[in-house]
Amino acid sequence: MKNNWWKESVVYQIYPQSFMDSNGDGIGDFNGIIRKLDYLQNLGVDVLWICPMYASPLVDNGYDISDYYKVNPIFGTNEDMEHLIDEAQKRKIKIILDLVVNHCSDQHEWFQKAMKDPNCEEASYFYFQTTENDKEPNNWRSNFGGSVWSRLPDGRWYYHTFAKEQPDLNWECKELRQKIYEMINWWLEKGIAGFRIDAITFIKKDLSFASRPTNDGERYPVENLTDYKGIGTFLDEMKEQCFDKYNCMTVAEAPGVDDAAFERYAGKNGYFSMIFDFGWENMEGENDKSSIHAVERWKKKIFTHVSHNSTIGWSAIFLENHDQSRCLNKFLERENISFYSASALASIYFFLYGTPFIYQGQEIGMTNVKWKNINDMDDIRAKRTYEEAVGQGKDPDEVLAYFSELGRDNARTPMQWDDSESGGFTVGKPWIKCNDNYRTINAQSQVNDPNSLYNYYKRLIQCYHDHADIVRQAVFRPMYEEYQGLIAYEREVNGKGLLVIVNFTNEKLMFQKIDQKCVLCNYHETESEWLQPYEARIYSK
């Protein structure tokens, strides 16, 4: 593979529990993914990112790993996983896996040994503290609520950035780091093309573990301690001992990496091939996302972040993923969701500077669920936040309404394949509630419809591949910023380029004639000097 091959690739993210169930147990699996490889090949994607498929008690949907070398039996066997890799390669589709090495499961052999014997080697793989008077070591708050510390029966406290069932790994321990690198290289030898690296900016700690000042005795949010000084030593070492050897793609979830740190993480000599650009990921707080002012504020965030990042590094660009709500709900009011607005949204992000990611179901326009009962949800963060909020006297309906808007389970409902029971995802009972709209929003109704959202995404991907030299090298330049409600930018290199123009409002917009070839538009007939509501045009020069 040529260097930086990911700079002209399109990635499709699969949440295996919810993608396709092949054996009727209500849980998606590897053989289900294999069944749908032709669907993905037809769409045109180059890379599949498969969310955690390792052995796990699934306290946090697989991000609590109990054995890095074994797959979770709910998805199949290691042989099934290898078969999936082989079948994808036959279709010229690469596979990347999640790499979760900030923490593991409390059921992992390492932690089990550490609990039994404070003096064993494995005890050095974690952060343990002892205190007097049963007092917690500090006042830090975990990302899932409550303290970052939990206590063992022998009195030791252990540190966890996330759930108490996810003890953090001690990267200060050289022996632990070598175990991690051995595991990474073992998977790369299996033929995978790289990793999406989870929560990596948390691996370096403030080893003083001192409490920090807060207002009114609140806990200090541990997310304020990301990208802690000295983290680069670990990340450079991992890159040298693993990633560089295989010319693999690495995309980091890197919360806390600001503009000043971006180049260290995703620049020419950065720790990773790219990091996710979270700078414009939602319109949270907007009372009316369809208003001109909301669109202009969002446009400013997009252009600010992309203009900066494109000069010094490479980004992973996305509209939704397994940790967020559906993009049609994030960026549109419900009454404005349609083929035109969905395809306009797709057009906006697809040619920004970076590698585009599509999350399963995004290509057919899957939407959020209206959650009516907390027991219908599976997300540990949602359940614990709900319990905490209701315990503080908040209205349960308001908390549920929040998760209907922004909850992670919105993206984890089963993929909607057809209009049969459970959307064709399973013949059994699905592990999590299906969205009620699967009879009208499903892949079967769109694959053979040339005017469908699925086929618009297919054309976008083809356009991306047709202009690989541009998307790989071209500078990013905002255009026509004076037009309110219009999102437009240019990618240009060596006199060739693409011009993306999108009217992201529900009103017609007077524009100007463009003397270039229109290579893609989401309307059949266009008035050259008028843009229809949510009209998107892509020009080539």
Side-chain angles (χ1 to χ4, degrees), residues 240-523:
E240 178 185 354
Q241 294 203 25
C242 304
F243 306 145
D244 281 351
K245 294 178 180 179
Y246 293 88
N247 187 28
C248 66
M249 168 183 171
T250 53
V251 50
E253 179 193 35
V257 172
D258 58 17
D259 287 351
F262 182 86
E263 188 170 9
R264 282 195 290 116
Y265 277 80
K268 183 178 180 181
N269 298 307
Y271 310 132
F272 305 106
S273 310
M274 66 192 84
I275 65 174
F276 287 105
D277 185 355
F278 291 107
W280 45 272
E281 63 181 315
N282 59 52
M283 285 189 178
E284 193 171 346
E286 296 288 356
N287 293 325
D288 180 4
K289 288 171 278 198
S290 65
S291 73
I292 291 288
H293 297 300
V295 173
E296 284 297 301
R297 282 189 286 268
W298 186 50
K299 177 172 79 173
K300 183 177 180 181
K301 285 197 287 187
I302 295 172
F303 287 173
T304 297
H305 282 268
V306 178
S307 294
H308 173 269
N309 295 347
S310 65
T311 62
I312 56 176
W314 194 257
S315 294
I317 50 178
F318 68 97
L319 294 176
E320 62 184 62
N321 60 36
H322 66 290
D323 271 339
Q324 300 188 345
S325 52
R326 290 290 182 175
C327 64
L328 299 188
N329 299 94
K330 284 200 301 181
F331 301 111
L332 295 162
E333 298 298 333
R334 284 185 180 270
E335 62 270 20
N336 290 327
I337 294 176
S338 67
F339 162 80
Y340 295 105
S341 58
S343 54
L345 186 57
S347 303
I348 287 171
Y349 94 106
F350 219 78
F351 296 94
L352 297 173
Y353 197 93
T355 296
F357 282 61
I358 300 169
Y359 182 70
Q360 65 182 45
Q362 177 183 327
E363 77 279 14
I364 59 171
M366 285 179 63
T367 61
N368 282 358
V369 177
K370 283 195 173 183
W371 300 100
K372 299 174 184 176
N373 191 313
I374 190 64
N375 294 323
D376 287 337
M377 303 186 73
D378 183 80
D379 180 15
I380 185 175
R381 184 170 71 182
K383 290 188 172 186
R384 292 185 179 176
T385 302
Y386 177 88
E387 182 180 347
E388 190 175 50
V390 173
Q392 293 170 353
K394 294 184 180 177
D395 183 342
D397 290 338
E398 288 185 5
V399 182
L400 281 173
Y402 169 84
F403 287 117
S404 292
E405 181 72 18
L406 296 167
R408 301 195 297 179
D409 276 343
N410 286 305
R412 298 175 180 183
T413 59
M415 177 70 178
Q416 294 163 206
W417 292 107
D418 57 42
D419 61 2
S420 65
E421 192 66 27
S422 300
F425 162 71
T426 181
V427 295
K429 181 181 179 182
W431 70 278
I432 192 172
K433 166 186 167 69
C434 286
N435 196 319
D436 294 333
N437 62 13
Y438 67 83
R439 287 189 171 86
T440 54
I441 299 175
N442 60 71
Q444 185 183 60
S445 66
Q446 295 193 30
V447 169
N448 296 318
D449 177 1
N451 300 316
S452 68
L453 184 61
Y454 172 90
N455 277 298
Y456 189 81
Y457 266 95
K458 184 176 178 178
R459 290 194 291 273
L460 271 177
I461 294 169
Q462 186 60 55
C463 185
Y464 189 88
H465 289 150
D466 289 344
H467 298 87
D469 55 337
I470 294 171
V471 298
R472 183 184 179 96
Q473 305 175 64
V475 297
F476 171 85
R477 185 181 301 117
M479 300 288 287
Y480 308 112
E481 292 183 82
E482 68 275 16
Y483 286 87
Q484 298 285 292
L486 184 78
I487 298 179
Y489 59 89
E490 184 178 61
R491 300 289 309 281
E492 183 179 21
V493 61
N494 299 327
K496 296 189 297 182
L498 290 171
L499 174 63
V500 177
I501 296 175
V502 181
N503 172 14
F504 203 59
T505 75
N506 55 7
E507 304 287 342
K508 286 182 70 172
L509 178 67
M510 184 69 174
F511 192 49
Q512 62 188 62
K513 185 173 180 177
I514 303 294
D515 291 322
Q516 296 176 23
K517 179 183 178 182
C518 184
V519 293
L520 186 59
C521 182
N522 61 350
Y523 274 77

Side-chain angles (χ1 to χ4, degrees), residues 40-53:
L40 297 167
Q41 183 183 31
N42 181 61
L43 183 61
V45 298
D46 307 285
V47 181
L48 303 183
W49 157 25
I50 300 177
C51 280
M53 27 50 71

Side-chain angles (χ1 to χ4, degrees), residues 189-240:
E189 286 293 329
K190 292 284 184 186
I192 67 164
F195 296 95
R196 175 266 188 187
I197 299 98
D198 180 70
I200 196 64
T201 48
F202 289 98
I203 64 170
K204 178 66 179 177
K205 319 299 184 190
D206 172 4
L207 297 176
S208 74
F209 294 117
S211 290
R212 296 189 174 225
T214 60
N215 296 324
D216 301 323
E218 294 179 350
R219 294 188 182 276
Y220 185 82
V222 72
E223 58 260 35
N224 292 347
L225 299 175
T226 53
D227 188 34
Y228 201 74
K229 57 187 177 183
I231 193 173
T233 300
F234 299 149
L235 298 180
D236 278 331
E237 183 181 77
M238 179 166 58
K239 180 184 177 186
E240 178 185 354

Side-chain angles (χ1 to χ4, degrees), residues 11-234:
V11 183
Y12 187 95
Q13 182 188 355
I14 289 177
Y15 196 72
Q17 280 171 272
S18 300
F19 191 63
M20 182 65 200
D21 172 23
S22 70
N23 61 6
D25 65 357
I27 300 170
D29 47 48
F30 299 135
N31 288 326
I33 299 173
I34 292 171
R35 283 188 188 179
K36 296 299 182 181
L37 286 176
D38 290 342
Y39 167 90
L40 297 167
Q41 183 183 31
N42 181 61
L43 183 61
V45 298
D46 307 285
V47 181
L48 303 183
W49 157 25
I50 300 177
C51 280
M53 27 50 71
Y54 310 95
S56 168
L58 297 177
V59 171
D60 185 27
N61 292 82
Y63 285 92
D64 49 319
I65 297 172
S66 56
D67 190 333
Y68 288 100
Y69 290 93
K70 291 183 180 178
V71 303
N72 195 318
I74 66 172
F75 302 136
T77 64
N78 276 44
E79 290 73 23
D80 292 331
M81 181 69 211
E82 291 173 9
H83 185 208
L84 170 57
I85 295 170
D86 290 341
E87 288 297 315
Q89 288 177 343
K90 289 177 183 177
R91 295 164 175 82
K92 298 183 179 180
I93 297 174
K94 301 176 180 66
I95 287 179
I96 65 172
L97 302 178
D98 256 287
L99 183 63
V100 187
V101 289
N102 174 72
H103 52 269
C104 65
S105 167
D106 61 357
Q107 300 303 305
H108 195 289
E109 179 186 23
W110 296 339
F111 194 71
Q112 290 293 304
K113 288 182 176 179
M115 286 197 299
K116 294 173 183 175
D117 182 2
N119 299 312
C120 69
E121 178 183 311
E122 286 80 6
S124 66
Y125 295 179
F126 303 92
Y127 298 96
F128 288 107
Q129 296 273 306
T130 55
T131 61
E132 298 179 357
N133 303 320
D134 298 334
K135 187 177 180 182
E136 293 175 5
N138 64 27
N139 68 341
W140 298 356
R141 181 187 186 277
S142 89
N143 283 340
F144 285 180
S147 176
V148 298
W149 299 98
S150 289
R151 203 174 192 194
L152 297 178
D154 65 7
R156 286 179 295 159
W157 298 89
Y158 68 90
Y159 183 101
H160 51 88
T161 297
F162 299 95
K164 63 182 177 62
E165 296 88 352
Q166 296 168 287
D168 276 34
L169 294 166
N170 178 11
W171 275 71
E172 304 294 332
C173 175
K174 182 178 179 181
E175 291 76 17
L176 179 276
R177 297 200 305 275
Q178 289 306 312
K179 294 278 188 183
I180 290 173
Y181 303 154
E182 288 170 12
M183 177 271 296
I184 291 172
N185 291 336
W186 187 84
W187 278 107
L188 288 168
E189 286 293 329
K190 292 284 184 186
I192 67 164
F195 296 95
R196 175 266 188 187
I197 299 98
D198 180 70
I200 196 64
T201 48
F202 289 98
I203 64 170
K204 178 66 179 177
K205 319 299 184 190
D206 172 4
L207 297 176
S208 74
F209 294 117
S211 290
R212 296 189 174 225
T214 60
N215 296 324
D216 301 323
E218 294 179 350
R219 294 188 182 276
Y220 185 82
V222 72
E223 58 260 35
N224 292 347
L225 299 175
T226 53
D227 188 34
Y228 201 74
K229 57 187 177 183
I231 193 173
T233 300
F234 299 149

